Amino acid sequence: MAAFNLSRFDPSTFFLTGIPGLEVAHIWISIPFSMFYVISLLGNFTVLFVVGKEQNLHKPMYLLLCMLALTDIGMSTSVVPKALCIFWFNLNSITVGGCLTQMFFLHVVFAVQSAVLVTMAFDRYIAICNPLRYSTILTNARIAKLGLVGLIRAVLFILPLPLLLSRQPFCANRIIPHTYCEHMAVAQISCGDTTVNRMYALVVVLVCTGSDLTLIALSYVLIIRALFRISSKKTHQKALNTCTAHIFVMLMFYPPFIFSSLTHRYGHSIAPHIHIILANLYFVAPPMLNPIIYGAKTKELCDKVCKYSCRR
């Protein structure tokens, strides 16, 4: 904490504490943290490499997996390198501009991944409920356009967050009790009125995440209704297998985000180190597990990965 006191009045710098109360254990915490990050990079780059090399995998479903892999890489990379600098070298300082930039990219990647999960749900709906028209409704070009729409939506919704914070006054306390610049964590150290910031952040969560979850739920309601009309158990099993991976990925993505958002606003009784450890795991565990889940559940992808692994 002494290092903070020397420069805490520098108007161009914030300080990230890492995990409050567990500073002495930072080195030990960094071991699984860095291992998860390396595994996630290997897994997601493998998906991108295999899909890129195999012509018969150039299909909408695998294009969506590539989008998911890119967002996983972006999400973990926007947080982990700086966190490891804090854990290993005690490099706690970050410029205000750097902090707001990290916040922007972090939240944009999250919003894009949410849009990708919605598109995946739509993909499963078409594949199960309207399989004869699948190839005409979902083309690679259409999937790419949906991905671009998701990116534009994310940028337009997220850009006001750092812009609003950049206009806030920050007084003597420039210490952020976190490993990365999360919007609410930065807003809490402002000595100005952050009502607009908080309300806009809540609107973004409700509009983006709320609408995405609604569309996903609607897709699965229609899928379940279609399955009830089919008497073949084999068809039921095949349909469920195509949805299982997507459901697992959503369960790792949305509940931790909702928990983190609620904790920042209302969970004052939760110990800060527990909240921050869980928040950090959120940025390394799902990106590590997503390629494993889809690799195990998608036989065609698994076979191609095995082909390249056996060559080596």
Side-chain angles (χ1 to χ4, degrees):
M1 191 63 71
F4 297 145
N5 292 334
L6 292 174
S7 309
R8 66 189 300 174
F9 295 102
D10 183 349
S12 64
T13 305
F14 289 147
F15 294 95
L16 296 162
T17 64
I19 302 177
L22 295 178
E23 288 85 356
V24 294
H26 274 176
I27 292 294
W28 297 106
I29 294 171
S30 71
I31 295 173
F33 198 62
S34 56
M35 287 176 60
F36 290 168
Y37 179 55
V38 170
I39 294 170
S40 73
L41 290 181
L42 288 174
N44 286 295
F45 276 118
T46 298
V47 170
L48 293 172
F49 173 78
V50 171
V51 174
K53 290 286 286 186
E54 292 294 326
Q55 193 69 31
N56 60 340
L57 295 184
H58 293 179
K59 303 173 185 176
M61 177 182 175
Y62 297 103
L63 183 57
L64 286 169
L65 287 184
C66 288
M67 291 181 182
L68 183 67
L70 286 171
T71 56
D72 280 337
I73 293 169
M75 186 175 289
S76 58
T77 302
S78 63
V79 170
V80 176
K82 180 58 182 177
L84 291 179
C85 286
I86 296 170
F87 294 157
W88 289 343
F89 310 112
N90 202 32
L91 297 176
N92 304 80
S93 64
I94 184 171
T95 63
V96 173
C99 185
L100 297 179
T101 301
Q102 183 190 45
M103 177 199 307
F104 172 74
F105 281 107
L106 179 62
H107 291 294
V108 163
V109 171
F110 173 88
V112 172
Q113 187 165 90
S114 184
V116 170
L117 291 176
V118 174
T119 311
M120 284 181 157
F122 180 63
D123 170 80
R124 292 301 83 205
Y125 161 71
I126 298 297
I128 293 170
C129 300
N130 208 344
L132 297 179
R133 296 186 58 201
Y134 179 85
S135 58
T136 56
I137 295 174
L138 287 180
T139 62
N140 286 349
R142 191 159 290 168
I143 291 294
K145 288 177 183 177
L146 288 172
L148 182 60
V149 169
L151 176 60
I152 293 171
R153 183 194 73 158
V155 171
L156 291 178
F157 270 102
I158 301 302
L159 186 59
L161 290 176
L163 291 180
L164 286 170
L165 277 179
S166 68
R167 299 168 64 87
Q168 285 291 327
F170 294 96
C171 304
N173 179 22
R174 290 176 167 264
I175 300 173
I176 302 172
H178 221 307
T179 56
Y180 60 89
C181 291
E182 201 275 338
H183 174 261
M184 289 302 298
V186 178
Q188 285 171 356
I189 66 169
S190 171
C191 55
D193 184 7
T194 59
T195 303
V196 174
N197 302 68
R198 293 169 183 271
M199 292 301 297
Y200 182 76
L202 186 60
V203 168
V204 170
V205 170
L206 292 176
V207 173
C208 285
T209 310
S211 62
D212 289 351
L213 284 171
T214 301
L215 290 172
I216 291 170
L218 178 61
S219 296
Y220 275 96
V221 167
L222 295 174
I223 289 171
I224 292 169
R225 190 178 71 173
L227 290 178
F228 277 128
R229 295 174 179 174
I230 301 172
S231 57
S232 171
K233 289 186 178 180
K234 186 177 180 180
T235 305
H236 282 185
Q237 187 64 40
K238 184 178 180 181
L240 289 174
N241 282 339
T242 64
C243 296
T244 303
H246 183 244
I247 292 170
F248 277 140
V249 170
M250 287 192 301
L251 289 175
M252 291 188 299
F253 183 75
Y254 288 111
F257 166 75
I258 294 170
F259 170 80
S260 181
S261 297
L262 292 175
T263 301
H264 264 304
R265 287 175 171 82
Y266 312 112
H268 303 296
S269 61
I270 298 175
H273 65 273
I274 293 176
H275 170 219
I276 294 172
I277 287 174
L278 291 176
N280 279 282
L281 283 175
Y282 173 68
F283 289 105
V284 289
M288 176 186 69
L289 295 173
N290 287 347
I292 297 172
I293 291 170
Y294 272 103
K297 286 292 181 180
T298 312
K299 186 177 184 302
E300 196 174 7
L301 178 62
C302 184
D303 291 342
K304 298 301 181 183
V305 171
C306 290
K307 183 182 83 172
Y308 283 98
S309 299
C310 292
R311 278 184 185 177
R312 297 175 186 176

